[in-house]
């Protein structure tokens, strides 16, 4: 049986997994608003985000309580501090899903640019993948898995560059659509950036190794 | 004289102030790249950001050490956890300054849009103001001062809306410039958002009151 401190740490770990699961659903729904042109689904993403935000405080309260009662040290302490940081990234991932859903809900033009569609599809696929992997490494704390995130991030960056390359002098869809296309791309790219930060945090928790070149 | 724990907390407080001071300089320089068309100044902003990133780890290491040695509780513990969060926001504010400097360095077109210039000037002024106020409230922990940040944030949002309103069907500067104008505006807006989060964190540290509607 787990001692009381580690039972409490398990609860915090579970809350991070729950946040990550909500965020994965949110980005999947946001991509559906964009790709399936279902603006009516945007509101669920927006409403769901307040749950993610509230969970950030739940985790922080729990961490404060555990620290006060059990005064963890070394690896346990590092995990608690890492949990605070990771909730910040998870909360921002939720915000990015909302951002995607809101642009897609508002603007049919950016969504309908034919050349952008395959890029959106690729970005949505990477976002789905990193969201699922984030949940997985929060459960497993597998350093080798966590180290793979940089590859996904590279792919997301490449897709973002591909999207931005569409917007040039011969762009025929108007300035507003260009801005929305860029903002959609940037939201996906930042979604992956935050996932990478979580992965680096997991590596740090397990190995003590620090990444100074954060995304 | 301060006891050892509180002397250590003062050091962490001082490190947050140092980070905030660096960030204030960074955004001021980034605005100069944009407004004075001095692309050669961008590199200093980019180079300076690695110092800000490194300080985030310095604070985290110090917090871990203090927690291990002194096991702070209640308000002191809350301050430590808040410090971890606030370094994340300060680090992102540094990133936004880099983002502004890089776009301004690369692209003369977006910088030279005549109608955008007064908006950039207004945004740069708000960014300067919130950066200076961030340093101030990190020193004073004055809740009334911290509560004022929402007004600055409202002004930044209004300027951002004004900037985006320029980009319409009759935009004559091309799609690429439109995207850069929007990205510049968004970077300023996010800079202020992170400052507001720090202000809310200060309010929380002092009063225990939580803002669920984060920017």
């Amino acid at each position: 049986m787990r001692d009381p401190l580690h039972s409490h740490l398990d609860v915090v770990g579970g809350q991070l997994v729950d946040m990550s699961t909500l965020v994965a659903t949110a980005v999947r729904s946001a991509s559906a608003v964009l790709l399936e042109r279902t603006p009516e689904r945007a509101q669920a993403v927006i409403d769901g985000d307040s749950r993610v935000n509230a969970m950030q405080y739940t985790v922080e309260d729990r961490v404060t309580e555990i620290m006060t009662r059990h005064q963890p040290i070394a690896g346990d302490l590092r995990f608690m501090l890492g949990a605070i940081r990771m909730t910040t990234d998870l909360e921002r991932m939720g915000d990015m899903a909302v951002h995607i859903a809101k642009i897609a809900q508002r603007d049919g033009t950016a969504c309908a640019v034919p050349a952008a569609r395959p890029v959106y599809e690729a970005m949505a696929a990477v976002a789905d993948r990193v969201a699922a992997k984030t949940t997985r490494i929060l459960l497993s704390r597998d350093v080798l898995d966590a180290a793979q995130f940089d590859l996904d991030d590279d792919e997301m960056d490449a897709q973002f560059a591909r999207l931005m390359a569409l917007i040039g002098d011969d762009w025929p869809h108007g300035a507003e659509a260009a801005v929305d296309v860029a903002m959609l791309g940037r939201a996906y790219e930042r979604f992956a950036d935050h996932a990478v930060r979580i992965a680096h945090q997991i590596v740090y928790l397990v190995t003590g190794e620090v990444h100074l070149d954060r995304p």
Side-chain angles (χ1 to χ4, degrees), chain A:
Chain A
M1 232 186 77
R2 299 282 270 170
D3 57 282
L5 168 60
H6 289 96
S7 301
H8 286 300
L9 296 184
D10 288 347
V11 171
V12 171
Q15 286 171 331
L16 293 174
V17 170
D18 290 346
M19 271 185 94
S20 178
T21 306
L22 285 174
V23 163
T25 306
V27 79
R28 184 181 290 266
S29 301
S31 294
V33 179
L34 175 64
L35 294 171
E36 297 164 24
R37 315 287 297 279
T38 49
E40 68 280 5
R41 291 182 64 180
Q43 197 56 46
V45 181
I46 296 162
D47 294 343
D49 193 48
S50 57
R51 274 183 69 198
V52 177
N53 294 353
M55 285 190 76
Q56 187 177 10
Y57 286 99
T58 308
V59 172
E60 180 151 320
D61 287 349
R62 170 77 62 156
V63 165
T64 308
E65 198 192 319
I66 295 172
M67 284 187 162
T68 305
R69 283 208 199 166
H70 298 278
Q71 309 190 321
I73 58 166
D76 296 333
L77 175 58
R78 200 154 67 176
F79 171 71
M80 297 277 87
L81 299 180
I84 298 278
R85 270 208 175 163
M86 289 189 283
T87 58
T88 307
D89 286 306
L90 288 165
E91 190 261 333
R92 295 303 271 177
M93 288 167 82
D95 288 350
M96 291 306 105
V98 167
H99 201 42
I100 294 164
K102 278 187 176 173
I103 298 172
Q105 178 186 40
R106 185 187 74 218
D107 175 20
T109 320
C111 307
V113 170
R117 190 179 171 86
V119 192
Y120 293 150
E121 284 170 355
M123 293 186 115
V126 180
D128 259 10
R129 195 162 70 230
V130 295
K133 283 170 78 171
T134 300
T135 307
R136 203 166 71 212
I137 61 165
L138 285 169
L139 278 165
S140 70
R141 306 205 192 140
D142 184 313
V143 173
L144 287 178
D145 254 12
Q148 298 292 316
F149 275 60
D150 290 323
L151 296 175
D152 296 303
D153 193 43
D154 289 346
E155 189 184 336
M156 192 65 106
D157 289 347
Q159 294 297 342
F160 183 50
R162 196 177 145 208
L163 194 66
M164 296 301 278
L166 298 176
I167 303 167
D169 288 341
D170 53 350
W171 173 262
H173 308 286
E176 274 176 282
V179 169
D180 281 341
V181 166
M183 290 290 183
L184 283 167
R186 185 118 173 93
Y188 276 115
E189 186 237 343
R190 286 178 56 209
F191 184 89
D193 278 355
H194 286 288
V196 170
R197 283 171 177 249
I198 292 170
H200 287 174
Q201 189 71 39
I202 295 280
V203 173
Y204 171 68
L205 289 178
V206 177
T207 68
E209 190 188 317
V210 157
H211 284 255
L212 269 185
D213 292 325
R214 325 191 123 204

